[in-house]
Amino acid sequence: MSKYVFFDIDGTVVDYGTQIIPESAAEAIRLLKKNGHLPIVNTGRPIGHVDPRVQKLDFSGWICSCGMELILDGEMIYKDYPTLEECHYILELAHRCRMAIQTEGHDSLLFDADMPYHALGLREAERLAAQGLRVAPIQETEDLQFIKFVSYDTPGCLRDEFLQGISSSFDSIIRGNTLVEYVKKGHSKAEGMERFLKELHVPKEEIFAIGDSENDLPMFAMAGHTICLGDGVESVKAAADYVTDPVLGDGVFNALRHYGLI
C-alpha cells in the first residue's frame, strides 16, 4: 500500500548552515516515488518562495504557506489568502506599533523601509533576491497584497498591541525572542495536511512526517510515524518516533531506508 511522506524543507531537505541539499536526499525522494509512495512538501513558505532546487525534486504534492496553498500533481487544489483590505490594515498597524515587518507575496518580499532591518530578515531577503524574487520597500510598491508575513521587534515597539490588533484574523507563531510568524486563522501545517488527506482519503497509519523544528510538531500530530533529523531541536527529537542522522549525514535517506520505504 502506498505511504504518504510529508517533508519539512529548511533543516530537513536543505541544511540550514550551508544551504546544501544532499544528493542522498534527492535520491531518497526519487526512490520513494519510484516505489509507489507519495513524497509531499509541508512548508511555511509560499510556493513562489521555495528554493528552485527543491521545486525540481520529485515531489508529488505541496502544502505551502502553512496550509494556505495545496498543490497536487502541479494543480492548485486549494488556496485561501488575506484580502487586500486585511493586508492594508496589517501594514498600517505594524507601522503604528513600530514592528519591523516583511510580507511574503507570490514572487516578492516587501519590508518597511522606515524600520530597522533585522539580521534574520536581511538573510532571508538576500536568499530570495538571489533566487530572482523582488525584494523592495513597501513604500515603493503599489500592489500590497500578500500571502503571509513575519515581524521583528524594534526598540520601543508595541508587540502586544500589534498581536491583539490582528488576533481576530491571524494566528501568531513566536519563533525566538524577536521573530513572529503570522498565518491566516484556520491554517497551519497540520490543518493543511488534514485538508490534503481528506482529498486522498488516507488513514493515519499510512502517513509519515519528517522535520526538525517546533513548527513541525503540529504536522507530527497528524502522522502515524514521525521522524526528526539528528541536528533537529531537542523537543522535536523527544516527540519523534525515530531520530535519524543529521541533514548532511544522509538523514533523510537513512530514515526512509529504516522504515523500508526505499
Side-chain angles (χ1 to χ4, degrees):
M1 182 178 290
S2 295
K3 310 297 183 185
Y4 296 75
V5 184
F6 291 82
F7 292 80
D8 173 51
I9 294 177
D10 299 304
T12 300
V13 175
V14 182
D15 179 63
Y16 269 127
T18 64
Q19 289 297 295
I20 290 172
I21 300 175
E23 290 184 11
S24 63
E27 177 68 2
I29 293 162
R30 186 188 70 80
L31 290 174
L32 193 66
K33 196 168 182 180
K34 180 181 178 181
N35 289 347
H37 307 304
L38 274 75
I40 301 165
V41 165
N42 195 351
T43 179
R45 297 186 185 280
I47 184 64
H49 288 216
V50 174
D51 190 318
R53 298 173 300 162
V54 175
Q55 294 193 44
K56 290 179 181 178
L57 299 178
D58 204 12
F59 286 108
S60 299
W62 301 79
I63 299 171
C64 296
S65 300
C66 290
M68 290 191 286
E69 300 174 307
L70 306 184
I71 302 163
L72 179 62
D73 294 327
E75 179 184 353
M76 184 81 75
I77 61 174
Y78 174 87
K79 64 179 179 180
D80 186 12
Y81 303 141
T83 66
L84 181 59
E85 290 76 15
E86 287 174 321
C87 293
H88 280 288
Y89 169 74
I90 290 161
L91 294 173
E92 291 168 3
L93 181 64
H95 194 82
R96 188 165 70 247
C97 293
R98 294 199 55 77
M99 298 292 288
I101 194 168
Q102 284 184 326
T103 69
E104 302 171 10
H106 292 287
D107 56 3
S108 66
L109 181 79
L110 304 181
F111 59 92
D112 188 342
D114 292 336
M115 298 295 168
Y117 217 117
H118 193 276
L120 290 174
L122 181 59
R123 185 175 68 181
E124 180 69 358
E126 290 173 342
R127 186 189 72 83
L128 292 175
Q131 290 179 197
L133 273 72
R134 180 170 179 262
V135 177
I138 290 167
Q139 289 84 347
E140 298 177 6
T141 305
E142 292 184 4
D143 180 9
L144 295 177
Q145 190 155 22
F146 51 83
I147 299 171
K148 54 194 291 284
F149 62 104
V150 301
S151 71
Y152 302 94
D153 292 355
T154 68
C157 68
L158 304 173
R159 184 205 269 194
D160 290 344
E161 181 177 326
F162 180 72
L163 294 179
Q164 180 61 35
I166 64 168
S167 61
S168 62
S169 300
F170 293 86
D171 290 323
S172 55
I173 306 169
I174 311 297
R175 303 185 64 179
N177 294 327
T178 184
L179 170 62
V180 185
E181 180 180 4
Y182 304 88
V183 181
K184 190 173 179 181
K185 278 194 176 297
H187 300 86
S188 67
K189 284 189 171 185
E191 286 163 313
M193 280 178 69
E194 187 173 12
R195 287 190 180 95
F196 202 97
L197 294 168
K198 280 182 179 177
E199 294 277 338
L200 302 172
H201 309 289
V202 181
K204 188 171 184 177
E205 58 267 22
E206 306 302 331
I207 302 167
F208 291 74
I210 179 167
D212 73 300
S213 63
E214 290 185 346
N215 69 345
D216 294 317
L217 291 175
M219 176 172 72
F220 277 19
M222 293 293 299
H225 312 276
T226 56
I227 302 162
C228 182
L229 274 292
D231 38 9
V233 175
E234 290 302 319
S235 60
V236 182
K237 290 180 182 179
D241 298 323
Y242 179 69
V243 178
T244 185
D245 297 298
V247 179
L248 297 180
D250 301 328
V252 168
F253 187 96
N254 292 341
L256 299 182
R257 183 173 59 184
H258 170 81
Y259 280 101
L261 299 175
I262 59 175

